[in-house]
Amino acid sequence: MRFTITRRQFTGGASAFAAATVLAGSLKAQQPSTNEQVRRLTAKLGEAELLETDAPRTPIWGYEGHVPGPELRVAQGKPVAIDLVNSLPQPTTIHWHGIRIDNSMDGVAGLTQTPVTPGETFAYRFSPPDAGTYWYHPHNRTWEQLARGLYGPFIVEEQQPPPCDQDLVLMIDDWRLGDNGHIDEASLGSMHDISHAGRLGNVLTLNGRGEQDIPVRAGQRLRLRLINAANARIIGITFEGHVPMVIALDGQPLDRPFAPGNNLVRLAPAQRADLILDCDQDVGAQTSILADTGREKLRIGRFVYHKEKRERPNILTDIPLLPQNPMPGALDLDRAINVDLEMTGGAMSAFEAAEYKGKRYGARELVREHHKIWAFNGIVGMPQSPLMQIPLGKTVKVRIVNRTAWPHAMHFHGHHVKEVAHARRTPLPYWRDTILMERGEEVTVAFLAHNPGRWMLHCHMLEHQAGGMSSWYEVA
Ligand code: C2O
Ligand code: CU
């Protein structure tokens, strides 16, 4: 039998739910870690129950053998000490996605560190400056290691978090599994995925399971931390009957929380959203959490209301504002350095030739010999000199134009960026580390270069990154 999202998740039936209920407690069971001691995090082989309980288990690679890896919860501004132990059959690293981190701790193999070989350990030491929702994942052969299950939530807690009854991470992933329930390995890094939309799967999971029951009480206020951990799929989440209020994006608090259009929270790969969600349904209600893939809506979980209300409802007050993070000073847009970033390539609009490792190649040869098909400013893959060189303290404006037939999720390491101009609408006033660029879209983002080092910028649709959409910039 071939598992398809549709069959499994729509006809899940009673047995699937019974199984999910038993495990519902697992959302809470994870013990949050604190910053105090050194924590070991072993990347190793494991098994996961991505499908129904009676279905075959899926061999994965995971932190501590689990997917998602342990939920790391740390205090803002306090030192974090994590030793990565590599028990995988290939070299790896950890990138702390979205953390404005010291460059040497950014975890980018080949740019900020040498990859950690099997059997070796690497000591990550840093103090996260900003509170918010982040995540960790490898930055070596990411297209393969993430698809195999190596990722986990990294939560930096505010000193004074807004009062909520439950603070829950919802980490969503998209898996391509074969008939036997195993990861489809033959298609890992396939040229078709590289040149089209990236690796799209056939099974969606919430926190590593096909369906999650989340116990709630009428009158509760929830803080939900959504993380899109898919290789390439853009996912929209809705909560049947509920109105989510977005209070932070990519870890950074919003000045003005908002309810998204159609109550749908849309996340490109690697993006996060923090939500306040008030449980305003009746006691005993069961409502679906749906993932919209653009073509279908699939249930990935449910809110299961207790038969009793919260004693006093917690949802009558205003939506709380999160405390500000210590972001660098104001942007100096008038005296900014201007940089253009043109995305080209991919199926349906391939370029004729491009530069790769300092030499010029025809498109055919790039595809056939090097599995490359995407370029930034006519350069495929990591350029020898940085895409931009920025003096410390300067403001940069990057005008990004997507001249391809595909959407892309542009991720900047080391800095959050904000839209300051858009070809077709008013720019959105949010600090983000990952920007979704639709086909044909043109947007200018700006940031103040406050964090010295060599930083990567790349498409977080990981097959695109592997196929050439990766570059770097230097702040000195
Ligand atoms: Cu989430 Cu360069 O990575
Ligand atoms: Cu892309």
Side-chain angles (χ1 to χ4, degrees):
M1 159 197 135
R2 169 129 196 109
F3 301 105
T4 66
I5 294 174
T6 331
R7 252 156 93 191
R8 192 176 59 77
Q9 277 162 335
F10 277 128
T11 62
S15 69
F17 287 128
T21 315
V22 176
L23 284 145
S26 69
L27 276 174
K28 272 202 199 141
Q30 291 166 323
Q31 273 308 311
S33 75
T34 57
N35 308 25
E36 273 125 48
Q37 327 95 338
V38 176
R39 187 189 170 118
R40 278 162 73 93
L41 205 54
T42 305
K44 61 181 187 187
L45 279 55
E47 279 194 339
E49 245 172 57
L50 303 178
L51 303 159
E52 302 87 345
T53 358
D54 48 355
R57 293 168 72 88
T58 306
I60 56 132
W61 296 1
Y63 294 106
E64 303 305 323
H66 296 298
V67 62
E71 182 175 318
L72 303 177
R73 280 194 178 252
V74 303
Q76 180 176 14
K78 298 274 158 56
V80 175
I82 295 172
D83 286 351
L84 163 67
V85 182
N86 183 3
S87 298
L88 302 171
Q90 54 178 241
T92 192
T93 63
I94 296 183
H95 169 55
W96 311 92
H97 183 116
I99 304 282
R100 296 188 295 120
I101 204 168
D102 187 81
N103 189 248
S104 62
M105 294 290 132
D106 200 39
V108 177
L111 187 69
T112 68
Q113 70 169 91
T114 47
V116 187
T117 50
E120 295 295 307
T121 297
F122 188 92
Y124 288 101
R125 302 287 183 271
F126 58 94
S127 301
D130 303 325
T133 301
Y134 304 92
W135 63 303
Y136 59 99
H137 65 74
H139 222 293
N140 189 51
R141 293 175 68 86
T142 321
W143 49 274
E144 172 180 6
Q145 296 189 3
L146 196 82
R148 290 185 183 276
L150 284 163
Y151 60 79
F154 191 87
I155 308 303
V156 185
E157 292 183 329
E158 294 91 12
Q159 262 142 39
Q160 281 177 318
C164 290
D165 295 294
Q166 301 195 59
D167 177 335
L168 301 172
V169 171
L170 305 183
M171 208 159 186
I172 300 135
D173 196 5
D174 173 39
W175 302 77
R176 190 184 295 172
L177 303 183
D179 291 346
N180 55 3
H182 289 202
I183 290 168
D184 182 343
E185 293 180 326
S187 65
L188 278 169
S190 85
M191 197 61 221
H192 183 274
D193 291 344
I194 289 177
S195 56
H196 292 75
R199 182 179 177 88
L200 301 178
N202 51 11
V203 170
L204 292 183
T205 54
L206 174 58
N207 297 340
R209 318 212 99 243
E211 296 246 3
Q212 278 273 7
D213 274 5
I214 300 173
V216 300
R217 273 175 194 263
Q220 279 190 336
R221 170 165 276 183
L222 311 182
R223 177 176 187 172
L224 302 176
R225 301 170 182 268
L226 262 53
I227 306 172
N228 182 349
N231 271 44
R233 196 184 283 283
I234 302 164
I235 299 170
I237 301 293
T238 52
F239 303 89
E240 187 192 4
H242 297 83
V243 179
M245 294 295 294
V246 181
I247 56 168
L249 289 168
D250 293 354
Q252 299 297 348
L254 306 189
D255 298 335
R256 279 209 231 156
F258 67 93
N262 299 323
N263 295 321
L264 180 131
V265 186
R266 192 157 176 262
L267 295 179
Q271 288 186 325
R272 289 91 61 212
D274 283 43
L275 311 175
I276 292 287
L277 189 129
D278 287 332
C279 298
D280 51 10
Q281 307 290 298
D282 285 336
V283 290
Q286 299 188 341
T287 65
S288 296
I289 302 172
L290 298 166
D292 191 328
T293 64
R295 279 200 218 135
E296 21 181 15
K297 284 194 175 189
L298 309 162
R299 184 168 57 220
I300 53 174
R302 298 186 309 172
F303 287 131
V304 178
Y305 277 70
H306 197 271
K307 51 185 190 320
E308 276 163 42
K309 285 192 168 85
R310 188 188 201 277
E311 237 169 81
R312 271 192 289 132
N314 188 26
I315 60 182
L316 301 173
T317 46
D318 290 343
I319 299 299
L321 287 183
L322 292 171
Q324 298 260 320
N325 278 326
M327 293 290 276
L331 298 171
D332 185 358
L333 293 176
D334 296 335
R335 280 181 298 167
I337 298 175
N338 291 290
V339 179
D340 279 324
L341 176 57
E342 188 189 44
M343 312 164 127
T344 55
M348 269 113 81
S349 62
F351 46 67
E352 270 164 26
E355 187 185 317
Y356 175 54
K357 291 193 172 165
K359 281 208 276 174
R360 210 163 165 76
Y361 291 93
R364 285 237 180 113
E365 197 182 357
L366 277 172
V367 169
R368 250 193 247 139
E369 310 284 318
H370 305 287
H371 290 185
K372 305 283 183 224
I373 192 163
W374 302 97
F376 288 151
N377 293 350
I379 300 176
V380 168
M382 296 295 269
Q384 280 155 335
S385 50
L387 176 87
M388 42 193 184
Q389 192 122 34
I390 312 154
L392 191 64
K394 269 278 190 187
T395 297
V396 196
K397 285 199 269 186
V398 189
R399 189 174 66 101
I400 314 173
V401 189
N402 179 359
R403 296 205 198 284
T404 79
W406 306 89
H408 301 287
M410 271 305 295
H411 172 43
F412 288 75
H413 284 222
H415 297 84
H416 276 64
V417 304
K418 188 186 267 187
E419 293 183 10
V420 292
H422 192 285
R424 270 174 258 157
R425 54 162 172 76
T426 42
L428 300 171
Y430 312 129
W431 288 110
R432 303 211 70 148
D433 58 54
T434 307
I435 303 265
L436 176 59
M437 302 279 309
E438 303 288 356
R439 61 186 287 178
E441 198 170 353
E442 178 184 327
V443 60
T444 303
V445 298
F447 64 95
L448 190 131
H450 68 279
N451 201 355
R454 299 173 152 205
W455 302 106
M456 226 182 145
L457 74 167
H458 62 89
C459 179
H460 221 290
M461 286 148 176
L462 300 169
E463 290 67 30
H464 293 174
Q465 180 193 355
M469 282 198 145
S470 50
S471 190
W472 61 287
Y473 66 100
E474 184 160 35
V475 177

